[in-house]
Amino acid sequence: MPTVHDWINSPLGIVDGLFGKTQHERSFFFWFFQVPSLNDVPLHYLKPNSLVKFRCMVQDMFDPEFFMGVYEMNDPTSNSKQVKCGKYKDITEGGVDFNSRNTVTSERQTFYCVPIPGESQWNSFAGTSQARVVPSTSYVPNRHKRSYEEDDEMDTQPQQMKDESHGNIEPKRQETEAPSHDSSPSHCTSSLDLNFPLPGEKGPACLVKVYEDWDSFKLNDMLEVFGILSVDPALSVIADEREASSLLDPTEGMETVEEQKVHSPPASLVPRLHMLYAQPLVHNNPLLPSSVSENNGNYLSSVLGELASIRAELLTYLTHVLLGDSLAAEYLILHLISNVYSRQDVLPLGKFTLNLSGCPHSSPFTEHLYKVIQQLVPSSYRLCMSLHNMNNQRMVPRKDYTANRLLSGTLQLANNTSLFLDETQLEQGQLDATGVRNITALGNLISWQKVDYDFNYHQMEFSCNINVLITSEGRSLLPSDCQVHLRPTLNPPNLEEYLSAVQVAQVPSQLNKYRIYLSVARAVNYTISDEITKAVEEDFVEMRKDDPQSMSAEDLHRLLDVARLLSLSHGQNTLSRDGWMKAKQLEALRISRTPQQKCVNGNEP
Amino acid sequence: ITKMDLMEQGANPNAGQTIKDELAGKCQKLFQAFLEEFQNSDGEVKYLRDAEELIRPERNTLVVSFTDLEGFNQELATAIQEEFYRLYPFLCRAVRNFARDHGEVPISKEFYVAFQDLPTRHKIRELTVVKVGSLVRISGQVVRTHPVHPELVSGTFLCLDCQGVIKDVEQQFKYTQPSICRNPVCNNRRRFLLDTNKSKFIDFQKVRVQETQAELPRGSIPRSLEVILRAEAVESAQAGDKCDFIGSLIVVPDVSQLSTPGVRAESSSRTAGVQGYENEGLRGLKALGVRELSYKLAFLACHVAPTNPRFGGKEIRDEEQSAESIKKQMTVQEWEKVFEMSQDKNLYHNLCTSLFPTIHGNDEVKRGILLMLFGGVPKTTMEGTSLRGDINVCVVGDPSTAKSQFLKHVEEFSPRAVYTSGKASSAAGLTAAVVRDEESHEFVIEAGALMLADNGVCCIDEFDKMEMRDQVAIHEAMEQQTISITKAGVKATLNARTSILAAANPVGGRYDRSKSLKQNINLTAPIMSRFDLFFILVDDCNEVTDYAIARRIVDLHSRIENSVERVYSLDEIRRYLLFARQFKPKISKESEEFIVEQYKRLRQRDGSGVTKSAWRITVRQLESLIRLSESMARMHCCDEVQPKHVKEAFRLLNKSIIRVETPDINLDQEEEEAMEEEEDDNQMNGHDAPNGVNGDVNGEVNGHEHTNGINGHGVNGESAKPSLRLSFAEYKRISNLLVLHLRRAEEAEDETALTKSEVVNWYLKEIESEIDSEMELINKKAMIEKIIYRLVHYDYILIELTQSGLKGSAESSGTESQEKDVTLVCFAYIVLSCFVKCCQSVMSM
């Protein structure tokens, strides 16, 4: 029986061993937590052909390839033949008998995977805490440094490895500071564009080879892949040779140079990962068991116990952050736990785009607010809607037919990523064609939770599930489900100092509670009883009777969304009469705040 | 299984090199026999003429219908289908022999065979290992084409050592030198020179195809595949085309390694060649035997044709298609479904509800959009002017009245639809733009939304937000169905044969009933007149519809699983639409007269100023009427436009051209409605709703305006008995008067309420001064009675009380209540202002 160490250090040996016995692969069992993660351990600390895991998002899907699933080798020393399994590896050494009758051609699929875009710093650290016991690497993670220092666990960790990493590796893997959030159009500093959706992202990209059931994976899926790492330098050499030979005879190479660059990049930059097993991730919050929705019974009940108190604390915290506005804080909580839970035809249900208006222009407020949110959610991205960004950033992914790949854009995000749109950064000026397209794409994202990827000859819709928060001075130019006008009750003399102080006051254990709370509340199943359904219907008709202008079908939609999220935030899985009334009160309070400017020059709300 | 056997059999290299491929030889003979013998229905040898054509120097490929082959020899067809790659050289040889037998062709000329009409078709996703080497048909969108260049098929080499000539070294995707000089005393293995003059070349082109959207599983990136085109197949596909490719899947590199054994077995020289290459290529890591285990796939296509429209390839209405050809392309079940649909009595209604399952009510809008999808028949006049068949629809409405949802649904449903927002798109975005290519600095024309939707639907949200000059820009597209651009030295006229479905917000944010349609929307008159139909969605309060809305919405939110129910699936509707659109209905004599009559009526009404239309009735409305009637006939798969089609078309058109805000009150209406109900009983008019006609949610132009023209009454009996009509303002004035009087009476004397006759008498007394003759008095009396009747039965302002007490207004029959002298009271809670409001809302519905 192979041990854990064997699995991690030489999985291929085990595969071969199993193959020798049974002549076909078996299902494998893993000791998840001890497997080193590509997300946290730099590539050069990992042994080639060892077992690794990779928490990632499927960014692109390449065309399938055929390979020799079973092949025969001539052993020149003993002059005997050996049947070998061709799975989970890219290359073989020694003479392959191409005419062997034992050769079996199989098919596999390649996915281009990148780390989950916008993963928060706290997220990656929490994930590695258990991986440190790996005996074969003495590495202590020190990656993913963002533009600002955070008072978190990480600063206590030694940075001993920093100097070692300079020798033989590319600038890509150096621990340079990412440029701050003003995003430049070039996504990557290296000559090879690794195609990360968000600017300034780092971390390995991987070619994940999938051996079975590949149609069950979708683009932008979050996965935790367990597989065998293939980084043999020979791969690049073979690619070079092919390139050279294709120049000799154009009919020979099926790929152009651009395609080769993308599809066979140097393994040192883009390692191959042969998938043994992949766990689809419902969320990427490392503080929770990976599949909350499935076995939520025990876990949820344990969390729900102190839910009320955590909610109250979080509300207080957010109220402080929002300068004493508890209503805005309430809505912010609802926004943070929102989730597209179903689609009815074209209509996404459960989305709750919040427009926080009344944010001061050009002040550190929005930046700090984003930092607070970043600390609370597993992945997020702040998009400054400056004219420059709108006109220059590639937001919508586009198919590049020359290189035959999907060029990523900032809107290619995994489920439940918090997208923070900062409209306070917008100034007057001219939007060019790209800018108009980007604004349209943002609008479609908010209204339909869909992004139309550009395939040149046609557009293709990809559903998404992104939590959009817009901060603006007046009402946002983008549509939103709900607008809350910020009404500060505090006026600290030094805003920056105040906001930093509020943030620092939260101890990590407290933050972890919030993080768990937000993920759990989102995962609660929710129903509405027939009795309440009836009551709601009657209530709607009654409200319309009083004043039809005040209550449209759209308003009912929103009210039901608010009621749902409010119930969830209290850990209730069904709507109560009380919950409905509370939701109505909350909405009434919110509407009373926003001046009725709904129909200015015919703009829809 | 046969494949595996063959693989194994051929995998033995020794056997492969010596044994001649017997099966292949046999197939060659059989195939040649097929070419010699197969006759078409006229008894001619079908492929003889084609073979004779091959004498021409530019020709080299004989196209053979696979269906013919199947009919001739099923076994041969099966063998070819399964072992295509292996048999291909032999089939080509059969063609060569055939051509040589029937014409003077040069000995050295090579011939090729191409198959068409392969019945089964595979998705690109279905091309797995087992498909390698067999004849399959795939369809895909061409996304990239490479230039055509010559490919060496058979090389003649000169040995640089002994100057010996080595002929006919076969090549396969790889430059292959002879492994060793054939001169027994010369041991040269490396130094050869290709004699290009004596070698044979073939045209060669690589294109890349991509999975079509219809085949793509949701959430996946479309697969792509390299396709190799040779001989006459080159240059037959352009980037952007959707094409069918017939050929076989092969693997590269090392074609010989995985190809079917027959090929390799037959040509020993090639096998040797490959080995020679391997030897020659020894360097670097390969010397150590390090090699990759993977292969690339490619598709070797012998025949290319535009994609069959059933798979969403070709345009939804291609002129070359006919109903018959569409039918042929459907499976039996699909055709049966289409037939069943065409027989459906409730088709109109069922299609509407199936298309928009999540939108409540708004039946008229749904009907209008449905007719837009069917479209009218495009025509060309004798002078060469083309008249569009596309129907343009505009939906104007208050915010949050499901306008965008309509557009989104159409975009989702229609194969060639583009959704865009007027606010977000400049003229360039909608029509076309000249842009400078960043890399080449060349100017190129970038297609706008209208062009992208050519032969489809262009959904434009927030149409009114478009700048005025942009509106002008699409003006041309709407009527001429082309777009011309002259910019940066580029002048082009591009097709934009598209229907436009636009949504617009009223100027003030909400629709103002006191103003005309034109005043309500920010569109120029020329643009407005290009729309065949206008629909107005108004957010109105009404308890019944409110309940329906509430139920619908709460339902959506409380149920996790999909609660959308459809009579027909979207695919079924798409197929039906495709089929029905092939009809080009002609207008019957009877319908023609009917149309003329309706048009005349509209013109007269317009001229006399009795009814105020949104705009003057011009010949455009006549065109619209014809288009809508044709579309209606198409929907029923009729070759002829019948009066009933015109009737519905007229009804829809009428709704959109009558001034919605103050419709005339037709007091004879209930009789007409009864008649109408009889006439089109399968058309749901919303009569099941308790309050009759205004059962629609957002109160679009609906309900009472079943104007006289449509029904039998209007046609034959109008001169005899003119229907009682009065303007809305007049009606409102009189009803206010009545209500005021009643309320005053109620306040004054609580016990004795007024009877109907008392009210009538009071009213007549009030207007005494205006009445001159007895005739007029009778008329006025009749009118006031009708008004009261309407107030009771339609607007529910008044309640009739008989001796027995409160009488339900909804179930009372007209005759009964008119005969007895009933007591009239106002609804207690209705105050005057509210009445006016309600009245307005009911009127406009």
Side-chain angles (χ1 to χ4, degrees):
Chain A
M1 196 55 200
T3 65
V4 182
H5 285 199
D6 294 339
W7 264 114
I8 291 171
N9 292 319
S10 61
L12 281 174
I14 301 174
V15 171
D16 276 350
L18 289 171
F19 181 77
K21 275 181 216 152
T22 61
Q23 291 284 312
H24 59 80
E25 0 74 56
R26 301 253 298 266
S27 53
F28 306 104
F29 180 74
F30 301 108
W31 293 266
F32 289 157
F33 297 118
Q34 298 182 24
V35 177
S37 166
L38 262 181
N39 299 79
D40 309 306
V41 186
L43 201 51
H44 56 285
Y45 287 100
L46 294 167
K47 278 174 60 184
N49 294 324
S50 66
L51 181 70
V52 294
K53 64 178 176 184
F54 184 37
R55 192 175 61 253
C56 59
M57 182 185 89
V58 181
Q59 190 272 324
D60 195 1
M61 295 164 148
F62 292 161
D63 296 327
E65 60 184 15
F66 286 180
F67 68 101
M68 286 186 270
V70 177
Y71 61 96
E72 200 163 24
M73 286 217 331
N74 293 318
D75 192 343
T77 49
S78 64
N79 205 14
S80 62
K81 291 191 169 187
Q82 240 187 323
V83 178
K84 290 264 201 173
C85 175
K87 273 183 151 187
Y88 313 117
K89 51 186 167 188
D90 288 299
I91 51 170
T92 181
E93 290 172 27
V96 175
D97 180 1
F98 292 107
N99 293 320
S100 165
R101 59 168 61 222
N102 291 318
T103 305
V104 174
T105 309
S106 310
E107 195 182 351
R108 68 186 171 201
Q109 169 77 342
T110 307
F111 292 154
Y112 188 83
C113 296
V114 296
I116 295 167
E119 245 186 22
S120 303
Q121 198 172 15
W122 62 267
N123 189 329
S124 57
F125 278 97
T128 40
S129 54
Q130 292 129 321
R132 279 185 212 133
V133 290
V134 174
S136 61
T137 58
S138 56
Y139 175 74
V140 179
N142 186 29
R143 291 179 50 255
H144 266 283
K145 296 203 68 160
R146 291 276 173 127
S147 54
Y148 65 96
E149 296 292 323
E150 195 185 31
D151 282 340
D152 214 333
E153 303 102 322
M154 52 162 259
D155 272 353
T156 61
Q157 283 164 14
Q159 306 197 352
Q160 72 221 44
M161 290 308 172
K162 195 153 188 168
D163 297 332
E164 286 178 34
S165 57
H166 284 274
N168 54 346
I169 50 153
E170 309 74 8
K172 192 84 223 79
R173 246 190 274 122
Q174 288 180 17
E175 270 118 27
T176 48
E177 302 265 306
S180 63
H181 297 286
D182 66 328
S183 35
S184 59
S186 71
H187 279 201
C188 182
T189 49
S190 147
S191 61
L192 189 77
D193 182 0
L194 288 183
N195 216 2
F196 295 121
L198 299 178
E201 287 264 302
K202 283 178 296 174
C206 247
L207 285 171
V208 176
K209 308 269 180 175
V210 188
Y211 287 84
E212 54 235 353
D213 210 17
W214 46 76
D215 277 339
S216 66
F217 298 99
K218 301 285 172 228
L219 196 74
N220 304 344
D221 271 1
M222 285 190 286
L223 302 174
E224 179 131 56
V225 179
F226 291 83
I228 296 165
L229 183 70
S230 165
V231 285
D232 203 311
L235 273 173
S236 328
V237 181
I238 289 174
D240 285 348
E241 278 187 7
R242 213 192 302 145
E243 197 172 323
S245 67
S246 70
L247 291 174
L248 276 177
D249 181 0
T251 62
E252 144 91 5
M254 290 306 289
E255 289 183 312
T256 61
V257 181
E258 292 92 345
E259 283 172 76
Q260 262 177 38
K261 249 189 185 167
V262 166
H263 293 263
S264 328
S268 52
L269 262 185
V270 182
R272 284 29 164 192
L273 188 58
H274 294 268
M275 183 194 284
L276 294 165
Y277 171 76
Q279 163 108 46
L281 298 177
V282 180
H283 63 83
N284 59 331
N285 186 343
L287 303 169
L288 258 67
S290 55
S291 51
V292 187
S293 56
E294 282 161 33
N295 51 354
N296 46 10
N298 300 339
Y299 188 79
L300 285 186
S301 55
S302 72
V303 179
L304 290 175
E306 39 173 347
L307 198 131
S309 64
I310 301 176
R311 188 187 195 281
E313 285 163 29
L314 178 59
L315 186 65
T316 318
Y317 173 47
L318 291 179
T319 307
H320 284 305
V321 172
L322 294 169
L323 309 172
D325 186 342
S326 63
L327 183 75
E330 188 78 54
Y331 272 96
L332 187 55
I333 290 181
L334 301 189
H335 163 75
L336 288 174
I337 63 169
S338 69
N339 175 37
V340 176
Y341 61 93
S342 167
R343 278 173 197 275
Q344 300 282 0
D345 221 17
V346 293
L347 218 65
L349 293 172
K351 71 184 176 94
F352 197 69
T353 302
L354 185 64
N355 175 207
L356 200 61
S357 58
C359 295
H361 190 260
S362 61
S363 93
F365 175 73
T366 52
E367 196 186 324
H368 277 270
L369 180 61
Y370 172 64
K371 282 181 191 169
V372 168
I373 288 170
Q374 200 179 24
Q375 279 197 330
L376 293 175
V377 299
S379 38
S380 59
Y381 177 62
R382 176 176 176 226
L383 176 59
C384 295
M385 290 175 64
S386 64
L387 266 185
H388 179 262
N389 274 353
M390 296 317 289
N391 282 338
N392 292 292
Q393 215 173 50
R394 183 169 62 233
M395 295 192 184
V396 175
R398 178 167 64 83
K399 179 81 177 186
D400 172 2
Y401 285 110
T402 316
N404 197 15
R405 72 159 160 188
L406 185 71
L407 289 174
S408 195
T410 35
L411 296 186
Q412 191 179 12
L413 297 172
N415 279 359
N416 290 128
T417 304
S418 281
L419 181 61
F420 188 98
L421 298 179
D422 196 346
E423 204 185 289
T424 61
Q425 306 284 315
L426 191 63
E427 60 271 27
Q428 280 192 27
Q430 187 67 43
L431 277 181
D432 61 19
T434 318
V436 172
R437 261 200 294 275
N438 282 340
I439 295 273
T440 314
L442 285 174
N444 281 340
L445 167 71
I446 292 166
S447 306
W448 309 104
Q449 286 287 338
K450 275 175 184 171
V451 180
D452 289 324
Y453 289 18
D454 181 3
F455 278 79
N456 193 355
Y457 303 99
H458 52 87
Q459 312 242 302
M460 207 176 292
E461 265 183 8
F462 283 86
S463 314
C464 56
N465 185 357
I466 298 172
N467 295 23
V468 186
L469 176 67
I470 312 163
T471 53
S472 58
E473 269 187 288
R475 215 190 76 181
S476 170
L477 68 96
L478 294 166
S480 64
D481 294 312
C482 176
Q483 182 202 358
V484 179
H485 197 81
L486 194 66
R487 195 172 282 176
T489 56
L490 302 169
N491 192 10
N494 186 336
L495 189 66
E496 187 137 25
E497 227 165 64
Y498 165 81
L499 288 168
S500 311
V502 170
Q503 254 172 286
V504 170
Q506 297 295 319
V507 288
S509 66
Q510 194 65 26
L511 282 172
N512 277 347
K513 276 189 189 172
Y514 298 156
R515 291 161 186 165
I516 293 172
Y517 163 76
L518 291 174
S519 294
V520 168
R522 170 180 288 158
V524 174
N525 278 326
Y526 175 80
T527 52
I528 304 179
S529 70
D530 289 347
E531 185 198 349
I532 297 292
T533 307
K534 234 182 150 54
V536 168
E537 282 168 22
E538 273 158 22
D539 209 13
F540 175 72
V541 174
E542 206 54 42
M543 285 187 278
R544 296 238 339 147
K545 242 183 223 161
D546 295 347
D547 181 7
Q549 306 287 304
S550 73
M551 193 73 201
S552 67
E554 206 92 323
D555 294 326
L556 180 63
H557 266 296
R558 181 173 46 240
L559 202 48
L560 280 162
D561 275 333
V562 171
R564 173 175 171 274
L565 293 169
L566 199 61
S567 304
L568 292 183
S569 77
H570 287 286
Q572 291 152 358
N573 59 6
T574 182
L575 179 60
S576 62
R577 226 171 253 276
D578 194 36
W580 175 247
M581 290 319 288
K582 271 192 193 150
K584 274 175 69 179
Q585 281 165 12
L586 208 59
E587 275 290 279
L589 210 57
R590 179 184 71 82
I591 290 164
S592 70
R593 241 186 219 200
T594 22
Q596 274 302 317
Q597 49 167 3
K598 263 179 138 180
C599 300
V600 182
N601 34 331
N603 275 337
E604 295 206 15
Chain B
I1 296 160
T2 46
K3 165 142 279 126
M4 284 311 294
D5 289 346
L6 286 161
M7 277 275 211
E8 280 177 24
Q9 172 210 330
N12 186 334
N14 299 327
Q17 278 179 23
T18 50
I19 298 171
K20 274 272 175 190
D21 194 337
E22 282 180 30
L23 173 74
K26 208 174 145 197
C27 285
Q28 184 183 333
K29 285 204 187 81
L30 285 169
F31 189 64
Q32 203 170 333
F34 161 76
L35 295 175
E36 300 277 5
E37 292 165 28
F38 185 79
Q39 297 178 342
N40 60 14
S41 49
D42 302 335
E44 288 171 31
V45 177
K46 186 176 172 183
Y47 292 102
L48 190 58
R49 184 173 305 195
D50 293 342
E52 282 163 5
E53 287 275 297
L54 295 179
I55 296 169
R56 284 157 56 191
E58 74 276 14
R59 293 292 313 275
N60 56 18
T61 306
L62 181 69
V63 181
V64 173
S65 161
F66 197 78
T67 330
D68 290 349
L69 190 63
E70 274 182 320
F72 182 77
N73 183 339
Q74 182 63 51
E75 272 174 59
L76 176 65
T78 312
I80 289 175
Q81 194 166 5
E82 282 175 3
E83 301 286 342
F84 176 71
Y85 190 69
R86 171 186 171 189
L87 298 176
Y88 182 65
F90 296 86
L91 302 179
C92 293
R93 221 164 286 169
V95 172
R96 189 178 64 193
N97 295 342
F98 185 53
R100 280 186 190 161
D101 292 350
H102 298 280
E104 296 285 310
V105 292
I107 297 295
S108 62
K109 188 168 174 181
E110 294 281 339
F111 291 95
Y112 304 92
V113 66
F115 287 102
Q116 61 176 9
D117 302 337
L118 193 68
T120 49
R121 176 183 153 280
H122 287 90
K123 295 178 178 175
I124 290 181
R125 231 158 246 273
E126 291 168 348
L127 296 180
T128 56
V129 178
V130 287
K131 297 288 186 308
V132 174
S134 59
L135 185 67
V136 289
R137 184 172 85 185
I138 56 166
S139 59
Q141 180 168 42
V142 180
V143 291
R144 201 165 178 217
T145 56
H146 293 259
V148 177
H149 54 71
E151 184 201 8
L152 185 64
V153 275
S154 172
T156 299
F157 290 90
L158 187 71
C159 173
L160 293 176
D161 283 8
C162 69
Q163 305 301 313
V165 173
I166 304 140
K167 280 186 174 173
D168 297 332
V169 180
E170 285 202 45
Q171 312 279 322
Q172 191 74 352
F173 302 112
K174 225 179 228 171
Y175 176 62
T176 309
Q177 286 195 350
S179 54
I180 185 165
C181 181
R182 285 180 193 167
N183 182 350
V185 293
C186 177
N187 278 325
N188 177 23
R189 284 170 181 272
R190 289 185 154 204
R191 294 181 301 122
F192 295 101
L193 184 73
L194 180 72
D195 185 347
T196 46
N197 288 329
K198 288 177 182 155
S199 299
K200 288 177 190 165
F201 291 89
I202 185 175
D203 280 339
F204 174 98
Q205 187 188 23
K206 268 193 313 179
V207 301
R208 192 191 287 127
V209 299
Q210 183 175 273
E211 221 172 349
T212 58
Q213 273 175 299
E215 291 175 3
L216 185 69
R218 230 184 152 72
S220 297
I221 290 284
R223 293 264 178 90
S224 59
L225 187 65
E226 295 287 350
V227 174
I228 297 166
L229 301 174
R230 292 207 280 197
E232 285 184 28
V234 300
E235 292 287 16
S236 50
Q238 299 301 318
D241 290 354
K242 286 183 184 168
C243 293
D244 269 14
F245 298 88
I246 298 175
S248 73
L249 187 67
I250 56 170
V251 289
V252 259
D254 285 328
V255 179
S256 63
Q257 150 55 25
L258 274 174
S259 65
T260 45
V263 181
R264 187 176 42 195
E266 186 268 334
S267 71
S268 55
S269 65
R270 181 188 295 168
T271 316
V274 171
Q275 277 164 3
Y277 179 78
E278 285 289 330
N279 291 340
E280 213 241 345
L282 284 182
R283 60 194 159 102
L285 280 153
K286 269 194 182 165
L288 301 169
V290 175
R291 56 157 289 128
E292 269 185 298
L293 290 167
S294 58
Y295 303 95
K296 284 264 161 210
L297 312 181
F299 192 82
L300 184 64
C302 63
H303 188 257
V304 185
T307 295
N308 177 328
R310 183 151 71 92
F311 309 110
K314 233 181 190 176
E315 277 66 67
I316 194 162
R317 67 187 114 152
D318 196 270
E319 284 76 17
E320 299 142 42
Q321 291 291 333
S322 69
E324 203 52 38
S325 72
I326 299 277
K327 179 184 165 183
K328 239 195 261 168
Q329 286 147 5
M330 288 189 223
T331 65
V332 179
Q333 292 97 318
E334 283 167 354
W335 167 244
E336 274 171 2
K337 188 76 203 175
V338 167
F339 184 75
E340 186 196 316
M341 286 170 80
S342 69
Q343 299 299 308
D344 186 351
K345 280 212 159 48
N346 263 330
L347 183 69
Y348 197 26
H349 176 74
N350 285 344
L351 284 179
C352 283
T353 49
S354 303
L355 265 184
F356 308 100
T358 52
I359 301 176
H360 178 86
N362 288 328
D363 291 335
E364 299 298 342
V365 186
K366 291 178 185 173
R367 286 176 191 146
I369 292 175
L370 187 68
L371 289 189
M372 181 192 78
L373 290 173
F374 280 99
V377 184
K379 299 172 207 69
T380 312
T381 62
M382 280 191 294
E383 296 84 45
T385 325
S386 58
L387 297 172
R388 71 182 154 99
D390 299 282
I391 294 169
N392 300 321
V393 178
C394 184
V395 182
V396 185
D398 292 354
S400 75
T401 44
K403 291 190 304 291
S404 303
Q405 269 205 56
F406 273 115
L407 269 57
K408 208 73 194 165
H409 270 286
V410 170
E411 188 214 2
E412 194 94 333
F413 166 77
S414 186
R416 281 198 87 157
V418 174
Y419 178 95
T420 178
S421 170
K423 193 158 61 173
S425 50
S426 60
L430 257 171
T431 54
V434 177
V435 285
R436 192 194 280 268
D437 189 76
E438 279 168 32
E439 280 157 33
S440 64
H441 301 289
E442 283 169 4
F443 285 109
V444 288
I445 295 171
E446 205 167 75
L450 280 170
M451 280 167 61
L452 290 174
D454 187 27
N455 274 334
V457 185
C458 186
C459 306
I460 310 174
D461 207 349
E462 299 183 301
F463 192 72
D464 51 311
K465 297 290 179 310
M466 244 183 327
E467 281 181 46
M468 211 51 91
R469 62 185 169 87
D470 303 346
Q471 291 189 13
V472 173
I474 74 157
H475 190 159
E476 179 191 355
M478 288 178 80
E479 198 57 38
Q480 310 301 326
Q481 309 245 296
T482 53
I483 291 164
S484 2
I485 42 171
T486 318
K487 225 183 216 174
V490 182
K491 186 164 184 261
T493 306
L494 303 151
N495 275 337
R497 295 158 293 179
T498 170
S499 303
I500 290 176
L501 174 59
N505 291 311
V507 172
R510 288 197 175 269
Y511 198 87
D512 186 346
R513 290 169 216 282
S514 62
K515 287 180 184 158
S516 71
L517 175 66
K518 215 171 145 187
Q519 286 167 302
N520 261 301
I521 50 173
N522 183 24
L523 291 177
T524 60
I527 291 259
M528 271 180 82
S529 71
R530 257 69 180 185
F531 282 103
D532 298 84
L533 291 173
F534 265 96
F535 291 107
I536 292 150
L537 302 183
V538 186
D539 186 18
D540 265 315
C541 79
N542 175 310
E543 208 165 303
V544 178
T545 55
D546 284 354
Y547 261 117
I549 298 171
R551 177 143 316 141
R552 183 74 232 166
I553 293 174
V554 178
D555 224 42
L556 280 177
H557 281 260
S558 56
R559 264 193 246 166
I560 303 293
E561 75 274 11
N562 218 315
S563 60
V564 172
E565 282 163 20
R566 290 184 161 103
V567 183
Y568 298 119
S569 77
L570 288 183
D571 272 335
E572 284 163 359
I573 303 177
R574 274 187 206 113
R575 262 195 297 276
Y576 185 78
L577 206 58
L578 186 69
F579 177 72
R581 288 193 64 138
Q582 305 311 322
F583 285 86
K584 305 207 168 26
K586 299 257 182 320
I587 296 168
S588 70
K589 192 83 197 129
E590 200 185 345
S591 305
E592 196 182 309
E593 280 163 14
F594 192 45
I595 289 173
V596 170
E597 199 176 326
Q598 299 308 330
Y599 178 63
K600 265 195 336 220
R601 183 187 309 285
L602 277 178
R603 289 279 291 182
Q604 272 164 11
R605 207 169 63 186
D606 189 42
S608 66
V610 176
T611 317
K612 294 153 199 137
S613 295
W615 52 73
R616 286 194 59 85
I617 306 293
T618 64
V619 74
R620 276 197 209 291
Q621 275 69 48
L622 179 61
E623 281 178 30
S624 295
L625 183 62
I626 292 169
R627 273 194 288 271
L628 289 167
S629 310
E630 285 168 345
S631 167
M632 204 57 204
R634 264 187 176 176
M635 191 186 74
H636 291 291
C637 292
C638 292
D639 280 321
E640 193 185 63
V641 177
Q642 290 158 10
K644 64 177 178 186
H645 301 141
V646 181
K647 198 172 115 183
E648 170 63 14
F650 182 77
R651 194 185 64 78
L652 270 177
L653 189 69
N654 207 17
K655 289 209 179 313
S656 90
I657 54 179
I658 296 290
R659 262 172 75 161
V660 277
E661 43 306 315
T662 57
D664 280 8
I665 307 302
N666 185 351
L667 295 170
D668 281 339
Q669 175 191 284
E670 84 281 358
E671 294 165 32
E672 291 179 7
E673 276 191 6
M675 286 168 76
E676 179 143 338
E677 213 167 351
E678 282 163 32
E679 279 175 46
D680 41 15
D681 46 342
N682 47 14
Q683 187 183 310
M684 305 283 277
N685 263 337
H687 285 279
D688 45 348
N691 58 347
V693 268
N694 47 5
D696 295 331
V697 185
N698 293 305
E700 90 269 12
V701 201
N702 185 24
H704 298 314
E705 277 308 303
H706 293 276
T707 31
N708 49 2
I710 315 169
N711 45 50
H713 166 73
V715 177
N716 43 38
E718 210 194 357
S719 51
K721 186 193 162 201
S723 60
L724 276 167
R725 297 188 141 268
L726 74 165
S727 76
F728 176 74
E730 183 66 8
Y731 173 70
K732 203 163 78 178
R733 195 184 61 79
I734 296 174
S735 13
N736 274 352
L737 219 61
L738 289 179
V739 172
L740 217 78
H741 175 65
L742 281 168
R743 287 197 62 80
R744 246 186 249 133
E746 274 170 43
E747 276 160 26
E749 36 194 315
D750 262 6
E751 289 90 57
T752 53
L754 291 166
T755 63
K756 192 169 150 190
S757 51
E758 278 173 334
V759 175
V760 171
N761 287 338
W762 168 80
Y763 174 75
L764 291 175
K765 208 167 200 141
E766 285 286 297
I767 56 162
E768 210 170 13
S769 54
E770 299 165 30
I771 300 170
D772 299 329
S773 65
E774 196 179 334
M775 186 64 192
E776 205 167 325
L777 181 73
I778 292 166
N779 280 347
K780 288 281 177 197
K781 186 165 187 258
M783 191 180 76
I784 189 71
E785 272 171 353
K786 295 264 184 191
I787 290 175
I788 292 171
Y789 180 81
R790 192 186 164 91
L791 284 171
V792 170
H793 293 95
Y794 285 91
D795 301 338
Y796 310 112
I797 305 301
L798 305 179
I799 300 177
E800 288 181 343
L801 290 171
T802 55
Q803 299 312 84
S804 53
L806 190 72
K807 190 163 176 293
S809 54
E811 36 96 55
S812 70
S813 77
T815 46
E816 190 192 339
S817 59
Q818 269 168 355
E819 277 156 25
K820 287 181 189 165
D821 197 17
V822 289
T823 311
L824 287 177
V825 290
C826 283
F827 265 125
Y829 61 84
I830 297 179
V831 289
L832 197 59
S833 62
C834 174
F835 157 66
V836 173
K837 199 162 122 199
C838 284
C839 205
Q840 265 182 351
S841 72
V842 170
M843 289 307 109
S844 64
M845 287 182 88

